[in-house]
Amino acid sequence: MNSKLVEKMKQKNKMAENPEVTQSVSKDKPNLLKQLGQWIGNKVASIRERISNIGKPKSVEMIEIDSLRAIDDVERQALNDKSTLESSLTSLTKYEDGVASNSETSPVQIDNSHETTVEPIEDTASPNEEAAKPDVKAELQAKEAENRAGLESLRDSPKYQASMSNPELLRQNPQISAWQAEMLRELNEKESQRQTQMKEEKAAKKLEAFKVYLSDLAKQPNSDSEKLINGKTASELLEIINTTGGVESIIADNKQQLSLAEIEVSNIKINLKNFMSNTKTNKLISEYISLTKTLEKGLKDYRTTQNQKESTRLYYVINDARGKLQDLNEGDKFDENIGIYERNFVQKLAKAEEGLQAAQKSQDFINTHLSSN
Amino acid sequence: MAVSKNLEEFIKNLVTAITGYKLEEISSLEERKKVIYECVELYQNFIIDYVKETYGPKDAARLKANKQFANQNVFTKFPDLADKTQDAFKAFIQTLKAQK
């Protein structure tokens, strides 16, 4: 019975087909219809399959009958009423609130008391204005949609792709409208957001890998004596990461340490230069340094040389240096000046340079394991 | 915002035409809404694609604008668009029937 009804309806629909459309579309656009047909076929199959799992059980024949009847109805409605056809092409999101608040039985049944109420409620313009306003609005909207379509094709062009590396150049191009420039800005913003997200994801992966690395190091027998960053061991670094949720504080601390160490070394060197600029002190210290070096080298060479003649010569060199140093020691304010030189510069500079090297080593470690590039 | 009775009826029939199920046969409200949107999207995309391929991107852009901004006067502004859309609609109906 149902099969007969399906056949009958199919026959009826076939006869009802508009010959003009059939002719124009089938003849001129067979591929288009074929493509759209395949596309719509896949979509429909997918929706039907989903509904069949959640909807009430229904026979295939009944599905066909209801579908064919509804096709008839929908065709009649759209072809007899242009405004329905027109409004059927507007976005449903405009009615989202209405649909959401609708009853359980009919999600699209929102307001039965209105025949045509899709116009915005707040539109209270006079009839003349009302007639003029939508025209302008429609024109602007159509223009914008055209621009969007234009931009889509522009985005695919090699020229645009090349220009993406220089957005400023593209903005300056008079052929590109203000709207496109704005869209471009949005695109760049989105691209920038995407890049940031990618960087964040990369950093997160790196952090995980770093934690694993630190955990492995912490398990090593001598891990407590091995200082990795800012004098901290693998276990201590892990604790900071777990407490703060990241490596930012470790990186910031080391950056600060590095800056402080650089400033310290630089200050000591400037002060040393000033100290040495005093002619008398400079002469005294230079002599002291020169004699000390001569003495040290003489002693070293004396111990290693096998040559008797050279050995004798070095003996005299050492004695001479010692004698001169002794003379210096007895000289005016020598002890005081050398003391200042040793305490304030030699020792401090050595310590500061050691700190700088440690901070640089820490920075190298950070760059190796945590650099975002 | 309210939906006109005609449009409401059209959408209900459109869903049934595409799926073969009446809306009241889908018990979940959420799923029902999802199906409505899917079917309307399918229908609108078909019409716009067809118009684009048959009459050119300008007309498709006008319809897209209509879709995006719910402008009810697009046929008044561009009278030939009404006939073109009707042609696309007939092609849509023809395609649906061909699926049977």
Side-chain angles (χ1 to χ4, degrees), chain A residues 192-207 372:
Chain A
S192 158
Q193 283 171 358
R194 196 182 65 83
Q195 297 275 1
T196 309
Q197 197 184 344
M198 274 174 67
K199 270 188 183 170
E200 282 172 359
E201 284 169 5
K202 206 174 165 186
K205 277 183 188 170
K206 214 146 200 180
L207 177 62
S372 57

Side-chain angles (χ1 to χ4, degrees), chain A residues 112-159:
Chain A
N112 288 341
S113 63
H114 294 78
E115 276 297 310
T116 50
T117 51
V118 275
E119 280 290 283
I121 297 163
E122 64 273 19
D123 194 351
T124 53
S126 69
N128 282 344
E129 282 172 332
E130 211 167 353
K133 215 165 108 185
D135 282 358
V136 177
K137 206 171 152 192
E139 201 170 354
L140 283 172
Q141 287 164 352
K143 184 79 188 160
E144 188 160 348
E146 270 178 49
N147 280 342
R148 260 177 213 281
L151 187 72
E152 277 168 18
S153 60
L154 179 74
R155 275 165 58 181
D156 296 335
S157 73
K159 199 177 171 186

Side-chain angles (χ1 to χ4, degrees), chain A residues 217-218 220-228 231-236 361:
Chain A
L217 278 184
Q220 303 287 323
N222 295 325
S223 70
D224 285 348
S225 59
E226 197 182 350
K227 312 291 183 193
L228 301 174
K232 292 185 172 60
T233 63
S235 307
E236 288 166 337
K361 204 177 159 193

Side-chain angles (χ1 to χ4, degrees), chain A residues 207-220 223 228-229 232-239 241 247 250 365 369-370:
Chain A
L207 177 62
E208 280 312 306
F210 186 57
K211 280 167 79 175
V212 171
Y213 174 70
L214 287 179
S215 300
D216 289 345
L217 278 184
K219 287 172 195 162
Q220 303 287 323
S223 70
L228 301 174
I229 301 173
K232 292 185 172 60
T233 63
S235 307
E236 288 166 337
L237 289 172
L238 260 180
E239 200 180 330
I241 293 170
V247 287
I250 296 171
F365 189 83
H369 295 280
L370 296 167

Side-chain angles (χ1 to χ4, degrees), chain A residues 267-285:
Chain A
N267 283 343
I268 293 170
K269 281 183 177 172
I270 290 167
N271 290 338
L272 177 62
K273 200 178 168 188
N274 291 337
F275 180 75
M276 296 294 275
S277 66
N278 180 316
T279 314
K280 197 179 171 187
T281 310
N282 184 12
K283 199 180 168 192
L284 209 64
I285 301 293

